[in-house]
Amino acid sequence: LTDKQIDILVEGIRSRWGKAENFNNVAFPPYSLQDANAKGSAPGDSQRGAVVYQTYCAQCHGKDGSGGPKGGSVINPSYLALVSDRALRTTVIVGRSDLGMPDWRANISGRPMSPQEISDVVAWLASHRQTGLLAQGKPNKERK
């Protein structure tokens, strides 16, 4: 790339995602489940996660997670087969500004998700993964 092309890319990145001032004095939730557990969160629970999902996510992704007025399916088997629990957790925490998905602080004004709620909703999402044969034709226990 030319210097000018690099400058254009950097400016685009900064203008879209470089808003560090939005995070002054913000305590981020732990990105890994291990860190969340170390800081006092219990392991995620899919039953509690179903309630969290209804509270924070259903208005966009639909009551059952299969898609709604503002967001696509979060229980699509192909998507869940390809994405790790950590990636799900990261998406809940940082959102998807490119798709209009808010971060963990902005779904309900003045009521950010707690680290426990994040763990629980990730457990609920992960509970929708299909077991058995996947695209590679191997059972989950044999996949690496």
Side-chain angles (χ1 to χ4, degrees):
L1 297 174
T2 67
D3 286 346
K4 184 173 182 169
Q5 290 171 321
I6 292 170
D7 290 343
I8 291 169
L9 286 172
V10 168
E11 178 55 34
I13 290 168
R14 285 183 177 153
S15 69
R16 185 168 191 112
W17 295 293
K19 298 175 176 82
E21 67 277 1
N22 293 343
F23 299 99
N24 290 340
N25 302 314
V26 172
F28 286 94
Y31 278 86
S32 75
L33 184 56
Q34 293 79 15
D35 289 345
N37 291 342
K39 292 183 179 185
S41 291
D45 177 272
S46 63
Q47 289 181 335
R48 287 191 313 252
V51 174
V52 173
Y53 175 83
Q54 291 302 315
T55 302
Y56 290 95
C57 313
Q59 66 272 20
C60 293
H61 294 285
K63 184 177 180 178
D64 65 354
S66 62
K70 297 180 185 177
S73 174
V74 290
I75 60 167
N76 177 287
S78 297
Y79 169 68
L80 291 173
L82 294 171
V83 68
S84 69
D85 288 2
R86 187 166 187 155
L88 289 170
R89 185 176 183 86
T90 299
T91 300
V92 171
I93 293 169
V94 300
R96 287 286 310 267
S97 61
D98 57 323
L99 298 176
M101 179 184 163
D103 63 31
W104 92 104
R105 302 168 302 154
N107 280 357
I108 298 175
S109 181
R111 187 173 166 197
M113 295 175 79
S114 71
Q116 184 64 61
E117 289 172 321
I118 294 168
S119 295
D120 291 341
V121 80
V122 169
W124 180 82
L125 291 165
S127 75
H128 287 83
R129 284 196 180 103
Q130 291 183 350
T131 57
L133 299 179
L134 294 174
Q136 293 178 342
K138 296 179 182 179
N140 286 342
K141 64 183 180 181
E142 294 179 21
R143 290 181 29 236
K144 301 209 180 278

